[in-house]
Amino acid sequence: MNTRYPFTAVVGMDDLRLALLLNAVSPAVGGVLVRGEKGTAKSTAVRALAELLPAVPVVAGCRFSCDPASPDLGCPDGPHGTEPGVQRPARMVELPVGASEDRLVGSLDIEKALADGVKAFEPGLLAAAHRGILYVDEVNLLSDHLIDHLLDAAAMGSSYVEREGVSVRHAARFLLVGTMNPEEGELRPQLLDRFGLTVEVAASREPEQRVEVVRRRLAYEDDPGAFAARWADEETALRERIVTARELLPEVPLGDAVLLQIAATCAAFEVDGMRADIVMARTATALAAWAGRTEVTSEDVRQAALLALPHRRRRSPFDAPGLDEDKLDETLEQFKGQEPDEDPEPDGPGDGGPGDGGPGGGVPPQGDGPAAENAPAAEETSPPSPEPASEPAPASAPQGAGSGERAAVAAGEPFRTKVLSVPGLGEGAAGRRSRARTEHGRTTGSVRPRGALTKLHLAATVQAAAPHQKARGRTGRGLVVRRDDLRQATREGREGNLVLFVVDASGSMAARQRMSAVKGAVLSLLLDAYQRRDKVGLITFRGRDAEVALPPTSSVDAAAARLEKLPTGGRTPLSAGLLKAHDVLRVERLRDASRRPLLVVVTDGRATGGGADPVALAGRAARLHAAEGTASVVVDCETGPVRLGLARELARELGGTAVTLDELRADSIAGLVRDVRDVQAGQTTRRAA
């Protein structure tokens, strides 16, 4: 039997351990999202929690873990009698990122359902996790269709399996715990809000603490059993404390004064909805019970806010989670001891509106663990103020070199962009950009199933079985269905793409107002890529060469951070940027051949560097992409009354289309939802006419 690393042997990680223990005391808190860099023992701590949870009484033989005191009336294994239940250890069920839908929600034998009218149901992970823990490592990489099922189960406390009118329902109430590395992408806002608490973790920078981490880990790997035995007493004591806190929890009242503090805090930080207030209330009572008290204090409310609010304050995927603790303390002090019908002080911090106390970043310090020690200061995570542009290049600068390097300018206000998609029908990862063959979406036809049947095409199945009914001896009303009659529905949905940005950062783009607009446009496209579940990459070119500012990743906020710091100036090696993009796409095709790329070139089309004939070189590089069928769009940044049309010529060489910054806006006159190739075809037709 595999011996898990003891929970009490985890070094530091005070915030994480507290958040997990509070959920063990009160599962109604709603779970924990653990955010942090790789290699910080996130998964180790979560897996160790299961060993501390009290045993669960279940109905003997029930595959859905029904409580014998109040069995589920709709349980597929029911109805249950009144016999006493049995005790079993609490479960922690792990949901793999690449799991299938049937593995998560369960599978229904369609053949038996059609032929015999029998609901032969095989439970999935949601059933196994009922009354336990559902753990998702790298939850931000989970497919959208699995996230949809998680959201439904979390909202309704039950799971439904539907197959062509045949349905099975079972209870699915679990403690949802997820871990993620923000560098690999962010969570959908709907799922993010379903986590009751969030914790930021980081490796300690204290050498002594790091030494202790290594020492304990090596000892565990050498002899897991002996290591666990060393911590057995501490584990037992912690397990007993959890049981005691659970028993005390119903006796902890939540007075009106405390509720007012909670409501005022949520209002002051402008969180959306009412879930934050409820989670804070449950967390504050759990904190009091964990401390052995029956009274909730202001410190409990403060601690609850630091755990429950940071991830609910985000307004975009580019905002770092965090709280302004000075503002939090002022709000709590202002409403301390007041009843809901009392008037608050007129000069409270909430009166200042959104600008009262800028948002902080990083980890809310709680205790003196490593996460608190390494939390960045608020000013360190705030975007830097734009620096003034450097002076123009001296007269002795080489002719055609463009202006000297200029400091980075802030991006303009992002906007909703028109939809750019890859033509044709793909088979890539589920997303929301381009058409693709998927497991979800509208039905377009049917095929014989290869392997297990997942989506039945009922009409095609009946049509295949109908001619054989007499030969099969059909006598009753039921249809005699054989395995060979079953037909799998083919469906069309949407996929996510690899959106590779190639951004011109040369001197011709260096005008501050112009570059601010360009960055705002790219930021808008990045936000669109986040919403459509794309991977993104960023290449910039300036001076004499191009560089990969960000290799393809699911983390659009990392791309936005690189874009914010992008300086401008120098020549325009357009060919180098296109060739670098060609190399990146070649490698990505080997890594993931099913994910189709969309090349977005942001430039005014000028080429002043990269060889003796930079324009010809840029054309040859563009034709390389066209020869491989890479879908592309050129965002034309040329401004002014006189325009050379170089960006549109580049789009023609790429085999794609060109749009101006104004046309990129979804609400512009030209902002129609069009396929990039369809746009080009339409332009060609108009020119011919």
Side-chain angles (χ1 to χ4, degrees):
M1 180 177 178
N2 184 33
T3 302
R4 286 179 175 161
Y5 193 93
F7 188 86
T8 51
V10 175
V11 179
M13 313 283 283
D14 294 356
D15 300 341
L16 172 57
R17 292 193 295 173
L18 177 62
L20 292 173
L21 290 170
L22 291 177
N23 276 273
V25 171
S26 175
V29 166
V32 186
L33 175 63
V34 188
R35 296 165 46 95
E37 59 197 26
K38 53 187 176 293
T40 49
K42 301 187 298 293
S43 300
T44 299
V46 173
R47 292 188 177 102
L49 177 67
E51 300 295 327
L52 299 175
L53 298 181
V56 178
V58 297
V59 174
C62 178
R63 297 174 297 167
F64 302 89
S65 302
C66 279
D67 187 347
S70 57
D72 182 10
L73 298 179
C75 176
D77 285 355
H80 299 301
T82 58
E83 63 274 8
V86 297
Q87 297 278 336
R88 67 156 175 81
R91 289 176 182 161
M92 190 188 75
V93 178
E94 295 195 37
L95 171 60
V97 170
S100 65
E101 179 182 350
D102 285 348
R103 184 74 185 97
L104 177 64
V105 301
S107 58
L108 190 65
D109 192 325
I110 299 298
E111 188 175 358
K112 287 186 177 180
L114 289 177
D116 305 327
V118 177
K119 294 182 180 180
F121 180 67
E122 183 65 28
L125 296 177
L126 290 180
H130 179 48
R131 304 177 68 202
I133 302 173
L134 181 63
Y135 172 51
V136 190
D137 194 13
E138 305 293 352
V139 64
N140 50 326
L141 303 182
L142 205 62
S143 299
D144 275 358
H145 67 281
L146 298 183
I147 289 178
D148 292 339
H149 288 295
L150 279 182
L151 289 172
D152 288 343
M156 298 183 294
S158 57
S159 174
Y160 290 84
V161 182
E162 301 281 349
R163 293 290 188 273
E164 303 297 337
V166 181
S167 65
V168 172
R169 174 216 158 270
H170 64 83
R173 293 181 295 275
F174 46 82
L175 180 62
L176 182 61
V177 180
T179 59
M180 61 174 284
N181 181 355
E183 294 178 359
E184 297 172 344
E186 286 292 345
L187 274 180
R188 281 170 52 182
Q190 299 93 330
L191 183 58
L192 185 65
D193 190 50
R194 283 293 172 183
F195 287 97
L197 310 179
T198 185
V199 175
E200 296 273 345
V201 297
S204 173
R205 299 298 183 260
E206 294 295 329
E208 293 80 5
Q209 197 169 59
R210 296 175 74 96
V211 166
E212 185 61 23
V213 169
V214 175
R215 181 183 292 117
R216 292 186 186 183
R217 187 68 199 187
L218 293 178
Y220 169 74
E221 292 176 355
D222 289 341
D223 191 343
F227 184 81
R230 286 171 47 194
W231 295 90
D233 292 343
E234 288 84 348
E235 292 283 289
T236 300
L238 192 58
R239 191 178 295 111
E240 292 174 352
R241 185 177 175 184
I242 291 174
V243 173
T244 302
R246 279 191 173 189
E247 294 172 350
L248 182 61
L249 186 64
E251 302 176 20
V252 180
L254 201 61
D256 288 345
V258 172
L259 283 173
L260 181 59
Q261 278 190 312
I262 291 172
T265 301
C266 292
F269 285 101
E270 300 181 315
V271 296
D272 295 330
M274 296 297 298
R275 185 172 286 118
D277 304 61
I278 297 171
V279 171
M280 274 189 65
R282 290 170 173 165
T283 305
T285 55
L287 280 163
W290 179 247
R293 291 183 274 102
T294 57
E295 179 185 1
V296 177
T297 66
S298 293
E299 184 57 32
D300 294 330
V301 176
R302 184 182 192 278
Q303 190 78 24
L306 292 171
L307 292 170
L309 297 188
H311 61 301
R312 292 186 165 89
R313 292 196 61 251
R314 302 189 66 179
R315 293 294 182 264
S316 82
F318 310 133
D319 295 336
L323 289 182
D324 182 342
E325 293 195 54
D326 290 338
K327 181 176 180 178
L328 173 61
D329 291 336
E330 291 175 8
T331 304
L332 293 175
E333 184 62 30
Q334 177 190 357
F335 289 90
K336 185 175 182 179
Q338 292 188 22
E339 296 294 332
D341 56 348
E342 295 184 35
D343 293 328
E345 296 289 335
D347 56 348
D351 298 338
D356 184 17
V363 187
Q366 301 158 26
D368 47 19
E373 295 170 1
N374 297 311
E379 59 268 24
E380 293 176 348
T381 58
S382 302
S385 301
E387 299 179 15
S390 60
E391 294 297 326
S396 59
Q399 189 175 6
S403 61
E405 179 174 318
R406 297 173 181 266
V409 299
E413 189 69 22
F415 52 84
R416 189 168 64 91
T417 66
K418 59 186 287 188
V419 180
L420 304 174
S421 61
V422 178
L425 196 63
E427 296 181 345
R432 300 179 180 179
R433 183 171 297 278
S434 304
R435 295 172 54 218
R437 297 183 185 91
T438 62
E439 288 293 322
H440 304 269
R442 63 184 183 90
T443 301
T444 58
S446 65
V447 295
R448 288 181 181 271
R450 293 179 294 181
L453 179 71
T454 56
K455 298 291 183 181
L456 178 74
H457 194 297
L458 183 59
T461 299
V462 173
Q463 187 176 8
H468 308 291
Q469 296 305 296
K470 184 175 181 181
R472 294 173 182 173
R474 174 189 172 191
T475 57
R477 300 175 58 186
L479 191 68
V480 181
V481 179
R482 302 276 172 83
R483 175 69 185 175
D484 291 341
D485 301 328
L486 299 178
R487 295 295 182 268
Q488 175 86 20
T490 57
R491 298 176 180 248
E492 182 179 310
R494 293 281 167 176
E495 66 176 359
N497 298 113
L498 166 58
V499 182
L500 183 60
F501 294 93
V502 182
V503 180
D504 185 349
S506 64
S508 64
M509 303 281 289
R512 294 183 65 82
Q513 191 172 11
R514 182 180 184 186
M515 196 61 198
S516 177
V518 169
K519 285 187 176 182
V522 178
L523 194 66
S524 303
L525 290 168
L526 284 172
L527 183 59
D528 181 69
Y530 164 77
Q531 294 168 341
R532 299 186 187 280
R533 314 303 289 174
D534 295 317
K535 288 181 68 175
V536 297
L538 178 63
I539 294 174
T540 63
F541 60 93
R542 55 185 288 272
R544 297 184 178 181
D545 204 356
E547 67 171 340
V548 181
L550 184 72
T553 175
S554 298
S555 180
V556 295
D557 53 344
R562 304 290 173 87
L563 179 72
E564 188 71 26
K565 299 175 182 177
L566 179 66
T568 57
R571 292 179 180 270
T572 312
L574 178 57
S575 60
L578 295 174
L579 290 174
K580 184 71 72 174
H582 184 268
D583 291 342
V584 170
L585 293 180
R586 176 177 55 81
V587 173
E588 288 301 311
R589 285 189 181 98
L590 296 175
R591 290 177 176 170
D592 187 357
S594 63
R595 189 180 287 270
R596 297 186 295 163
L598 175 62
L599 182 66
V600 179
V601 185
V602 185
T603 181
D604 56 9
R606 289 180 172 83
T608 60
D613 191 346
V615 176
L617 288 173
R620 288 169 57 187
R623 289 190 289 275
L624 282 176
H625 290 282
E628 295 185 352
T630 302
S632 59
V633 59
V634 178
V635 180
D636 185 359
C637 303
E638 193 174 28
T639 57
V642 179
R643 304 192 182 189
L644 302 178
L646 298 176
R648 295 192 176 274
E649 178 62 24
L650 175 63
R652 188 187 66 79
E653 296 278 14
L654 285 166
T657 188
V659 294
T660 65
L661 291 174
D662 289 337
E663 291 172 338
L664 192 62
R665 294 178 178 270
D667 54 357
S668 69
I669 296 176
L672 303 176
V673 178
R674 300 172 296 188
D675 182 276
V676 291
R677 290 266 175 98
D678 291 343
V679 176
Q680 182 193 9
Q683 291 174 338
T684 303
T685 302
R686 287 195 295 272
R687 285 198 297 268

